[in-house]
Amino acid sequence: MAGTGGDNSGGSGGAEPTGSGGAGTGGWPEGAIPMGNAPVRSAGCGKATTLTTKEYTISSSGQNRVYYVDMPKNYDMNKPYRLFYTSHWIGSRWQDVEGQDFYFLKPQMEADGEQAIFVAPSSDGATWQEKDHALFDDIMAFMNENVCYDTTRVFATGFSFGGMITYSLSTNHQAEIRAAVGIAPANYNIWLPEKTRKPIAWMHTTGMSDGTCPWVNNEGQKRGAKFIALEKAEDNGCTIPDNIPTSNGAYSCYDFKDCDPEHPTRVCTFGGGHTNIDGNPNWIPIESWKFFKQF
């Protein structure tokens, strides 16, 4: 059942497309893609695609897995689009993410006259697991061959358990994911690979009264969103403050200082609970899009 997604043709920032297909950095040293770089085209650029906006099935780790693709309206096979990999929260499916316009990023982009390719997989069961790293790899290998996107502007985001798998992927997929936003993530109760500790641009949000994925769950064990922020800041060469500024009222975002130029690192806190919707207008997608579009 085909559908449509987006409007007006748009693509990723930077200069005219250069480079060739394949996930990763397109010739730059890993983790050193300059800000505002020219797009690097996937192998699918310049080729007609059969993909439309609908659910697809892929074989991964010996299972048939489902995921949803949202294609730009009037898709241009020669335009390397941004690609967003969006992961759902516990007990939900891709339909829930699509129902929120991919964490409300799609309308933010369209308001700026931009479009992207959105991918939303479904977990096997209620939660994301170790095999979902292989699922990411398998989906992205398929997308690389079949659609035109900018391999240096693949972004990841998700809420709650979706934020946790986003964090998990960010710890060893720095060559494939340019930047990631975790919405109310945690660094425990999720499978984590051996961390490469390579840099990646990172932002996350946490409500300071969130009891599900709290700012601090266990100080001694370094469990909690605070320690995600500190880990990413360290990996990205930032100066670590004595205390990260946080807010128990209106949201406030702290940008770590002296980070690698290619790896901005930001944490946004507010006086709220476990949510991806706060305020009217909802600032979370506004700040997420501001973070993503700088690349």
Side-chain angles (χ1 to χ4, degrees):
M1 52 179 188
T4 58
D7 62 42
N8 297 332
S9 173
S12 56
E16 290 300 311
T18 61
S20 58
T25 59
W28 288 285
E30 184 174 339
I33 307 170
M35 301 293 278
N37 66 286
V40 176
R41 297 154 61 93
S42 64
C45 290
K47 301 190 298 189
T49 185
T50 60
L51 269 67
T52 59
T53 296
K54 66 174 188 177
E55 179 184 279
Y56 290 89
T57 301
I58 192 169
S59 177
S60 181
S61 300
Q63 292 181 290
N64 286 330
R65 301 290 299 274
V66 298
Y67 64 103
Y68 185 79
V69 176
D70 186 273
M71 293 287 286
K73 188 178 180 181
N74 302 320
Y75 167 78
D76 183 345
M77 67 180 182
N78 294 306
K79 183 184 291 292
Y81 295 89
R82 295 179 178 91
L83 188 149
F84 287 86
Y85 193 85
T86 58
S87 300
H88 63 72
W89 53 97
I90 192 169
S92 58
R93 312 296 289 164
W94 68 252
Q95 289 90 338
D96 300 287
V97 175
E98 187 273 337
Q100 286 192 344
D101 279 327
F102 307 96
Y103 295 112
F104 311 104
L105 282 169
K106 188 175 176 179
Q108 292 292 323
M109 296 185 65
E110 291 180 346
D112 277 352
E114 297 283 354
Q115 284 197 100
I117 297 167
F118 290 92
V119 176
S122 287
S123 61
D124 176 30
T127 61
W128 299 105
Q129 305 165 46
E130 177 179 356
K131 62 187 174 184
D132 295 309
H133 276 237
L135 178 66
F136 172 86
D137 295 335
D138 292 335
I139 290 175
M140 290 307 301
F142 178 80
M143 297 299 289
N144 179 63
E145 294 295 327
N146 288 279
V147 295
C148 186
Y149 69 91
D150 181 352
T151 64
T152 64
R153 289 179 176 88
V154 174
F155 303 119
T157 190
F159 163 61
S160 190
F161 226 98
M164 292 158 69
I165 185 63
T166 298
Y167 166 67
S168 181
L169 287 167
S170 79
T171 66
N172 73 341
H173 279 78
Q174 295 93 332
E176 293 77 27
I177 299 171
R178 178 72 173 273
V181 171
I183 306 170
N187 62 349
Y188 57 97
N189 290 341
I190 180 73
W191 181 80
L192 293 173
E194 182 177 352
K195 299 176 184 178
T196 67
R197 301 306 303 262
K198 294 179 180 177
I200 184 172
W202 177 265
M203 169 184 153
H204 75 256
T205 69
T206 297
M208 296 306 289
S209 56
D210 187 342
T212 304
C213 295
W215 181 244
V216 174
N217 170 269
N218 186 301
E219 187 82 32
Q221 296 177 3
K222 297 184 177 181
R223 291 167 48 146
K226 169 186 172 182
F227 302 102
I228 296 177
L230 291 172
E231 176 186 299
K232 296 304 186 186
E234 182 178 336
D235 292 350
N236 293 342
C238 312
T239 296
I240 308 299
D242 291 336
N243 293 290
I244 301 173
T246 60
S247 175
N248 280 298
Y251 87 91
S252 176
C253 294
Y254 175 72
D255 294 295
F256 284 86
K257 312 304 180 188
D258 307 315
C259 305
D260 300 338
E262 306 88 357
H263 305 117
T265 310
R266 159 177 275 217
V267 61
C268 300
T269 56
F270 60 100
H274 190 65
T275 185
N276 68 331
I277 302 171
D278 185 67
N280 186 17
N282 182 12
W283 61 266
I284 295 174
I286 294 172
E287 292 293 342
S288 295
W289 172 233
K290 283 168 58 179
F291 186 76
F292 284 129
K293 74 178 180 180
Q294 67 186 307
F295 299 98

